[in-house]
Amino acid sequence: MKERRRSKVVIRDHHHHHRRSDSMAAADRSRGVVRDEFVTYAYILLYIALSSGQIFFNKWVLSSKEINFPYPLGLTLLHMIFSSVLCFLLTKVLKIFKVEEGMTLEIYVTSVIPIGAMFAMTLWLGNTAYLYISVSFAQMLKAIMPVAVFVLGVAAGLEMMSCRMLLIMSIISFGVLVASYGELNINWIGVVYQMGGVVGEALRLIFMEILVKRKGIKLNPISLMYYVSPCSAVCLFLPWIFLEKSKMEEGGGTWDFHFLVLTLNSLCTFALNLSVFLVISHTSALTIRVAGVVKDWVVVLVSALLFADTKLTVINLFGYAIAIAGVAAYNNHKLKKEASSRVISETPGDDDSESIALVSQANTER
């Protein structure tokens, strides 16, 4: 009898302990989820702050009287060299991060070089545009990005043509046109440069998608920068020799090399590129697009407050609002499509978990 009572007590104890460990695990899990959400939002905020800050910083370096460095190619080249050296130091010398294996010459030639070249083109043309047009107008023109991504995506066979998408694209284009119509002193050279930058960025996103989806390569942020930066630097070096080298030599006395400002600028760019990859690896490429929309509004409104050359008109803002509504619809459509395709091909750990695992693994190996 005593034996049975004791065994009951033991079983009750065991159940009680089991329940407690269950509730503790649940509490831990919910804490983990909250922490993950917090980390994700922190990354997104970091991205928005760095991205908008960098735009103003570049504009200031390129077109201010104090710094006097009107050489977008030179500036971008500096960024890429800085990024290459820093990645090399972090991975090979200090060994803080590991560069992932699995990179072959074929993948390098077919994917990394196009990504590097497009990245170089985007930065060069986008930065050159700041010499001609205001920051806020440049941002408004950038709203056309989903259209470029979609059109090129259809050409590359990554996207399907549909009536809804065509409608969304028309809305965005119309909004951007209205915003441009509202721009008081429009400079067509600047518009052409900005559009070139947008096409470059769209191509880069498509090459990235091909690299990850078709070739199935997941690189952590540092590895990607380690491979892409030197390639972008080389792609920028060639036009720099032909287009800006002589100008810089001629104006040798007029422009000063502000070492500290340019180093800080390069460091900001590096942090920005890193934060883009961090947000993508923690969420998705879609989140970065949504965060990008928020950032664009921040930039447009802040530049109206900061810069004298920015005169926003009602037509400007109205057109931009239409374009942004279109971008939001595009993101929403993408989200639904991605969600439905994920349900169809639900494979555990299929997402970006590998690259996150590798990033965290690299961090713990310190």
Side-chain angles (χ1 to χ4, degrees):
M1 191 70 180
K2 262 184 189 171
E3 227 14 76
R4 191 178 301 155
R5 197 174 299 141
R6 193 178 299 136
S7 70
K8 266 187 182 167
V9 170
V10 168
I11 289 168
R12 199 177 297 136
D13 267 11
H14 178 71
H15 272 303
H16 184 66
H17 179 71
H18 195 65
R19 201 176 302 134
R20 195 170 61 214
S21 68
D22 257 12
S23 65
M24 277 168 74
D28 276 356
R29 204 175 302 126
S30 68
R31 210 172 295 135
V33 168
V34 169
R35 196 177 59 236
D36 277 356
E37 277 193 4
F38 175 74
V39 166
T40 305
Y41 280 118
Y43 280 147
I44 291 171
L45 281 173
L46 178 75
Y47 161 72
I48 291 173
L50 280 170
S51 189
S52 37
Q54 185 61 38
I55 287 170
F56 294 129
F57 200 171
N58 283 351
K59 169 82 176 172
W60 182 63
V61 168
L62 289 169
S63 61
S64 78
K65 301 285 176 285
E66 300 92 79
I67 304 298
N68 189 21
F69 193 85
Y71 304 105
L73 257 175
L75 185 69
T76 319
L77 179 60
L78 201 69
H79 289 167
M80 286 300 123
I81 293 171
F82 185 86
S83 176
S84 309
V85 172
L86 201 55
C87 282
F88 182 76
L89 284 175
L90 288 172
T91 53
K92 295 288 188 251
V93 182
L94 301 172
K95 293 199 166 42
I96 295 175
F97 297 99
K98 265 176 68 176
V99 174
E100 280 147 58
E101 307 302 315
M103 179 58 71
T104 61
L105 186 65
E106 189 237 349
I107 292 173
Y108 193 87
V109 171
T110 56
S111 280
V112 177
I113 290 180
I115 289 172
M118 289 307 122
F119 197 36
M121 180 172 131
T122 304
L123 292 170
W124 163 35
L125 297 175
N127 282 336
T128 308
Y130 291 135
L131 295 176
Y132 300 99
I133 54 178
S134 70
V135 171
S136 60
F137 186 46
Q139 289 311 113
M140 289 180 183
L141 290 175
K142 266 187 200 157
I144 204 118
M145 175 72 84
V147 179
V149 172
F150 178 70
V151 170
L152 292 164
V154 169
L158 292 170
E159 299 274 357
M160 292 298 290
M161 186 62 94
S162 72
C163 293
R164 178 181 287 173
M165 277 308 240
L166 272 175
L167 180 70
I168 291 171
M169 296 305 140
S170 313
I171 291 170
I172 297 175
S173 309
F174 175 69
V176 173
L177 277 173
V178 173
S180 308
Y181 179 74
E183 184 68 14
L184 298 172
N185 39 6
I186 193 163
N187 185 318
W188 287 104
I189 302 172
V191 173
V192 170
Y193 273 120
Q194 187 61 38
M195 284 302 161
V198 165
V199 170
E201 177 69 5
L203 282 170
R204 181 175 75 100
L205 289 172
I206 279 168
F207 280 126
M208 291 268 279
E209 200 168 318
I210 290 171
L211 176 72
V212 174
K213 281 193 181 163
R214 293 201 183 154
K215 306 227 166 59
I217 282 214
K218 295 266 166 72
L219 293 173
N220 68 23
I222 293 279
S223 299
L224 197 55
M225 306 251 302
Y226 175 81
Y227 288 123
V228 171
S229 304
C231 181
S232 296
V234 171
C235 293
L236 285 164
F237 189 66
L238 296 171
W240 179 76
I241 288 178
F242 292 114
L243 297 171
E244 271 185 10
K245 190 168 173 285
S246 53
K247 267 194 223 164
M248 283 171 111
E249 281 164 359
E250 280 168 23
T254 56
W255 67 274
D256 318 307
F257 192 84
H258 289 264
F259 183 74
L260 189 67
V261 171
L262 292 174
T263 306
L264 261 176
N265 188 274
S266 302
L267 198 60
C268 273
T269 310
F270 181 78
L272 169 64
N273 293 336
L274 202 58
S275 75
V276 170
F277 295 131
L278 278 173
V279 173
I280 288 176
S281 68
H282 258 254
T283 51
S284 68
L286 188 83
T287 315
I288 205 99
R289 285 203 291 264
V290 178
V293 170
V294 177
K295 176 213 75 183
D296 290 345
W297 269 112
V298 170
V299 170
V300 167
L301 298 175
V302 171
S303 70
L305 299 172
L306 283 183
F307 293 110
D309 73 340
T310 308
K311 298 277 185 289
L312 289 178
T313 60
V314 178
I315 300 178
N316 255 160
L317 288 174
F318 177 64
Y320 191 49
I322 294 173
I324 289 298
V327 172
Y330 171 78
N331 288 340
N332 188 24
H333 181 73
K334 272 294 231 199
L335 194 73
K336 279 187 186 152
K337 212 166 86 180
E338 277 170 23
S340 62
S341 67
R342 198 167 292 142
V343 170
I344 294 163
S345 62
E346 190 70 272
T347 48
D350 178 41
D351 221 32
D352 291 307
S353 49
E354 292 155 58
S355 54
I356 298 167
L358 285 157
V359 172
S360 54
Q361 179 189 330
N363 287 343
T364 49
E365 275 165 11
R366 255 179 251 193

